[in-house]
DNA sequence: GTCTATAAGCTGATAGAC
DNA sequence: GTCTATCAGCTTATAGAC
């Protein structure tokens, strides 16, 4: 419960380094330095690098799920909540602290490390599909909307938007991809969009 | 021109390792071993790891652009060609050999390494936008289609699809995301889709 | 719990012989 | 062009004192 305890500081430092440098690029030594914790102390609390990373990835996954849930359970209609999720302020050039790890071969090869990624995106897609299905049932979307497929598309656009933005060196392509998707979704609204 | 020369083998080996392990995870030593080339030989042909990586990333980017251009300049209408690009057979779980590098901090920090990524995605988006604009001009798409935004969305779905598939450990989410996007694009076709 | 050795192996390179 | 030293520093621990 104490955010200032040694194990907690180690996990936080690992979360930051995994976000910045990935799993391969993060050494126990760098974690110790950032956490201000000695070698022996780290190995007392955690079994090693994979063990430490599992704890950090698990926490990052929980935090990401909580943020998404906040957007998707807010006020407004289905499209409004999906729009809230898509247009939430993000540190675009930093990428996704969960999705970014999927690029790492050592992460996808370790079931304990990959599981939080899988769970996060499975739940996010399922929750988005629920919201979209609500919108269809309410007549907000056309009846031919595919909730599950569209949900996967929404999540992919965000993750792919990060890739395009980091490749470009600026956040522009992320926002273009999101705006393009929102226009496609607008066109799927039951009533033709007549905004100026 | 000879694909069996030392420099060529080094570049090929580097392309493979960058795809599998990323930039941070790829050592000159591993490249030498895979290419069957000695230490001194490698440093004779290339200045070091960044130099070698620049050559390899440049070639991978060219190859990716050529494949995309083949799909987008094929036969058929605009939607058909976009569909051909999106549904081309891919080694989904391996990820994109260009986009995957965008996760690496050392790649985005080195202008010579990031440039091929930026160019690849800029050109791909521009070419897709052209195709979509053609489709709109021909009356294949509704007049309110946004070619540039939609192009960014298409590229993002592919890149994000890789992230979701690798996180899940199977290609399913990639195909769900692509199918979801194709349904949204179908709905943007000028004539209502009435297929069974 | 935390500290300081200690260690075998890898990293990214340079130097000079052949 | 290619080869074999050689190198300082990092990686990922383990061992045992405090």
């Amino acid at each position: 419960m104490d955010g200032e305890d040694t194990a907690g500081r180690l996990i936080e430092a690992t979360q930051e380094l995994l976000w910045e440098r990935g799993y391969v690029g993060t050494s126990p030594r760098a974690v110790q330095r950032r956490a201000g914790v000695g070698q022996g102390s780290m190995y007392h609390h955690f079994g090693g690098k994979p063990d430490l990373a599992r704890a950090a990835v698990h926490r990052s996954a929980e935090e990401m799920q909580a943020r998404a849930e906040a957007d998707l359970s807010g006020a407004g209609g289905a499209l409004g909540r999906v729009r809230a999720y898509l247009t939430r302020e993000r540190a675009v050039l930093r990428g996704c602290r969960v999705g970014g790890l999927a690029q790492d071969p050592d992460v996808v090869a370790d079931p304990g490390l990959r599981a939080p990624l899988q769970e996060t995106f499975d739940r996010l897609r399922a929750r988005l599909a629920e919201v979209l299905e609500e919108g269809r049932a309410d007549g907000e979307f056309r009846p031919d909307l595919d909730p599950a497929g569209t949900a996967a598309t929404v999540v992919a656009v965000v993750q792919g938007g990060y890739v395009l933005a980091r490749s470009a060196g600026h956040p522009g392509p992320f926002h273009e991809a999101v705006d393009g998707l929102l226009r496609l979704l607008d066109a799927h609204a039951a009533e033709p969009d007549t905004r100026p």
Side-chain angles (χ1 to χ4, degrees), chain A residues 40 43 46 53 72 125 136 138 149 155 183:
Chain A
Y43 280 102
F46 296 95
L72 294 173
R125 285 191 291 139
R136 187 174 67 160
D138 291 354
V155 180
R183 289 205 188 198

Side-chain angles (χ1 to χ4, degrees), chain A residues 41-169:
Chain A
S41 195
M42 195 207 88
Y43 280 102
H44 172 76
H45 290 282
F46 296 95
K49 176 174 170 173
D51 189 37
L52 188 50
R54 277 189 283 269
V57 174
H58 184 75
R59 182 175 293 184
S60 290
E62 282 181 343
E63 289 170 0
M64 176 176 157
Q65 288 174 41
R67 268 189 299 274
E69 184 56 32
D71 293 327
L72 294 173
S73 300
L79 182 53
R81 280 178 284 156
V82 173
R83 186 186 301 273
Y85 168 70
L86 282 169
T87 59
R88 177 217 306 160
E89 197 178 320
R90 288 175 167 91
V92 173
L93 287 182
R94 290 196 184 172
C96 175
R97 62 192 96 188
V98 174
L101 296 167
Q103 191 51 39
D104 205 303
D106 293 355
V107 169
V108 297
D110 180 337
L113 275 173
R114 187 174 59 76
L117 278 60
Q118 174 161 25
E119 266 189 40
T120 297
F121 291 121
D122 279 357
R123 288 183 185 166
L124 182 50
R125 285 191 291 139
R127 186 70 185 100
L128 272 162
E130 264 180 31
V131 171
L132 291 165
E133 172 57 32
E134 271 178 53
R136 187 174 67 160
D138 291 354
E140 195 179 343
F141 287 116
R142 290 161 40 170
D144 64 334
L145 179 83
D146 170 23
T150 307
T153 303
V154 168
V155 180
V157 165
V158 172
Q159 293 300 314
Y162 284 128
V163 172
L164 300 186
R166 286 177 64 90
S167 296

